Amino acid sequence: AGSGHGKMAAGGAADAQARFGHSVKGLLTEKVTSCGTDVIALTKQVLKGSRSAELLGQAARNMVMQEDAILHSEDSLRKMAIITTHLQYQ
């Protein structure tokens, strides 16, 4: 009878171990899923960052082009003012 009781205890321990293993697997799966979600979010953020850097670069290039156009217009206006002054003298 004593040995039969020992087998039951061993069976209960094995059952508890299986339940523990199952809950650990569940927790690990949860953590892996959570990590995966975090990695995806981080990747999206990095891509958004590189995209905004690209847009900033583009905006800077556009500003340089605008500045060039403004300087050219300013130069043309100055020349036109000189011509106007010459025409008034004649």
Side-chain angles (χ1 to χ4, degrees):
S3 67
H5 183 71
K7 276 185 184 170
M8 287 238 335
D15 191 38
Q17 200 171 356
R19 274 201 310 274
F20 177 72
H22 190 70
S23 72
V24 167
K25 267 188 199 169
L27 282 171
L28 275 174
T29 305
E30 213 174 285
K31 285 287 178 195
V32 166
T33 304
S34 165
C35 261
T37 306
D38 289 350
V39 167
I40 289 168
L42 179 65
T43 306
K44 281 182 181 173
Q45 200 60 43
V46 167
L47 287 172
K48 194 189 282 183
S50 69
R51 179 79 182 120
S52 64
E54 189 182 313
L55 289 172
L56 273 172
Q58 206 171 352
R61 284 192 295 278
N62 287 345
M63 276 181 69
V64 168
M65 282 166 57
Q66 289 293 324
E67 191 182 20
D68 204 34
I70 289 167
L71 288 172
H72 184 70
S73 299
E74 205 176 19
D75 195 39
S76 296
L77 280 170
R78 210 175 291 114
K79 286 175 183 168
M80 281 161 64
I82 292 167
I83 292 168
T84 307
T85 308
H86 278 303
L87 286 171
Q88 280 172 349
Y89 281 133
Q90 292 176 2

